[in-house]
Amino acid sequence: MLTPTQARTWWTVTLAAAAILMITMGARQSMGLFVSPINSATGLGVVTISFAMAIGQFMWGAAQPVAGAIADRWGPGRVLVGGTFLMAVGLALTPLMQSAFGLSLAIGVLTAAGAGAGSFSVLIGAAARKLPMEKRGMASGIINAGGSFGQFVFAPLVQRLIGGFGWMGAMFSLALISLAALPLIRPLVGDRNAPQQPAAPHAPADRGLRAAIGDAMGDRSYLLLHAGFFTCGFHIAFLVTHLPGEVQLCGLPGNVASWSLAIIGLANIFGSLAAGWAVQRMRSKYVLFWMYGSRALLVALYLIAPKTPLTFYLFAAGLGLTWLATVPPTAAVVGKLFGHRYLATLFGLTLLSHQIGGFLGAWLGGIAITRLGSYDAMWYADIALAGAAALVNLPIREAPVLRTAAA
């Protein structure tokens, strides 16, 4: 049981991290709503815009191990502040860019790198340093739910902003909104000289960051975790970028896409909390197996269902239960294997694999619709990859759940 002071710290740290993720993920996961307006205004083409957003998917992941390493070495405060400003600058510059290079720089590099610095690896790593080991799983679930709530709030908000102010006005508005993350950073910084929470009992001794990365990259379980998370990135990036196009292809109004994205975010709040609860009571690799397996089944059901608004809403609700709920069990496996000392860096590297998949999901989706006239090939690839991801998690070496974690 936590003392009143510990409980207050737990809630303050967890909710502050969740609120930051709500802003960074909410804005980022709504970018797909801009594809059609940007294309209409600039004439750059869906493939070019998809490529810029695909670069953003990769950069968001590439930024995380770098931001995590800086946070592990010097603390999360300066990383989060710098990331917030970088994201705001990228969003504000996007409406001024009329070329493929400019769009790739603003959306693909600046905005994405800033959002990556204020995302899972740094936030979960910062929280892990301040929270008792038996409470980290639930905390990561709540932090993750913050990102899902952001998607629920931002998707319809962005749609309204685009309708009311045009896509340029909506981008400028998002730049201002992103700055709201700044006052939320303080609870995560704290006193660097304060005693840290103990590492997991099975974690290796601290031999430095370089040695930790070398040990991780030579660990078969860690590499299998990367392979599964690659599929998660492919799936999510394809949907957030091209779901509006799929809805349009089915002859349905644009608000079906925005509400579908919002429903995904709402459902994932419950999925993330359930995942945080589950990783404290069962091995995370089994949680990941069922999550990825359910995605393959849901996509298959979507393909044979009639394409109505209700179908999209039910599909979104089902997907939302596992959407980003893969983050708590993935982070839990990394923590069990290597402890929390370099969690921000090592989990950041798994997120890089996630976003390599994200790059391909966003980019290949644009190529599929342009050359084939539909997204069918992407859906079939999604089913195959999700099934494979479910299976590769089973051989992961994972320590049993501690009895105190279930208390």
Side-chain angles (χ1 to χ4, degrees):
M1 293 292 293
L2 299 180
T3 67
T5 300
Q6 288 175 323
R8 186 165 55 250
T9 299
W10 189 90
W11 280 109
T12 301
V13 169
T14 301
L15 292 180
I20 293 171
L21 193 61
M22 179 191 75
I23 294 169
T24 60
M25 288 299 292
R28 180 177 168 274
Q29 295 286 67
S30 302
M31 287 293 104
L33 298 171
F34 288 96
V35 173
S36 181
I38 292 175
N39 185 39
S40 298
T42 64
L44 291 173
V46 173
V47 172
T48 298
I49 298 168
S50 297
F51 184 71
M53 292 191 176
I55 292 174
Q57 294 289 340
F58 176 79
M59 185 58 64
W60 182 81
Q64 300 223 27
V66 176
I70 296 172
D72 284 336
R73 177 64 179 85
W74 288 291
R78 64 190 68 187
V79 175
L80 292 170
V81 171
T84 299
F85 280 114
L86 191 62
M87 181 177 177
V89 169
L91 289 168
L93 287 177
T94 299
L96 308 179
M97 301 301 181
Q98 299 297 313
S99 67
F101 174 79
L103 199 63
S104 297
L105 176 64
I107 291 181
V109 178
L110 299 179
T111 300
S119 196
F120 297 107
S121 60
V122 173
L123 293 173
I124 291 178
R129 286 174 167 245
K130 290 178 166 289
L131 303 178
M133 182 172 55
E134 68 273 14
K135 294 297 182 180
R136 292 173 192 160
M138 195 63 218
S140 66
I142 293 174
I143 293 168
N144 197 57
S148 303
F149 185 69
Q151 182 171 333
F152 171 70
V153 171
F154 275 70
L157 173 62
V158 168
Q159 188 71 53
R160 282 181 170 270
L161 288 172
I162 292 173
F165 303 106
W167 77 269
M168 291 185 174
M171 278 287 184
F172 289 134
S173 299
L174 283 180
L176 289 175
I177 292 171
S178 67
L179 296 176
L182 290 173
L184 300 167
I185 295 171
R186 185 173 180 82
L188 297 171
V189 179
D191 182 4
R192 288 177 54 197
N193 296 318
Q196 301 295 326
Q197 294 295 335
H202 301 277
D206 181 7
R207 297 189 292 116
L209 176 59
R210 183 175 299 180
I213 294 174
D215 290 343
M217 297 310 295
D219 190 298
R220 178 171 174 265
S221 294
Y222 185 65
L223 298 179
L224 289 174
L225 197 66
H226 277 236
F229 222 31
F230 169 92
T231 291
C232 184
F234 181 95
H235 175 88
I236 289 176
F238 165 59
L239 280 170
V240 297
T241 306
H242 297 289
L243 185 61
E246 174 78 357
V247 168
Q248 187 178 37
L249 202 64
C250 294
L252 299 173
N255 63 351
V256 173
S258 61
W259 278 112
S260 294
L261 290 172
I263 290 170
I264 288 173
L266 179 63
N268 197 231
I269 294 173
F270 299 101
S272 296
L273 295 176
W277 176 88
V279 299
Q280 297 183 161
R281 289 161 174 81
M282 65 185 73
R283 294 193 182 189
S284 296
K285 65 179 183 178
Y286 298 131
V287 178
L288 290 168
F289 169 81
W290 289 109
M291 285 183 176
Y292 290 129
S294 70
R295 288 186 185 181
L297 178 61
L298 280 167
V299 174
L301 291 173
Y302 165 76
L303 288 177
I304 63 175
K307 303 305 182 285
T308 65
L310 180 60
T311 294
F312 277 99
Y313 298 151
L314 292 175
F315 181 50
L319 287 177
L321 293 175
T322 67
W323 185 248
L324 285 170
T326 54
V327 170
T330 302
V333 173
V334 176
K336 283 184 179 182
L337 290 173
F338 308 109
H340 76 272
R341 174 64 183 88
Y342 299 110
L343 179 60
T345 304
L346 298 179
F347 184 46
L349 287 170
T350 64
L351 283 163
L352 174 57
S353 294
H354 185 279
Q355 292 313 114
I356 292 173
F359 172 87
L360 292 174
W363 182 39
L364 293 178
I367 292 175
I369 189 60
T370 301
R371 296 186 180 178
L372 304 177
S374 76
Y375 294 109
D376 289 352
M378 295 295 294
W379 291 120
Y380 292 129
D382 214 2
I383 293 173
L385 287 171
L391 295 176
V392 300
N393 277 278
L394 293 178
I396 288 175
R397 170 181 57 87
E398 181 184 359
V401 177
L402 298 176
R403 292 184 180 275
T404 55

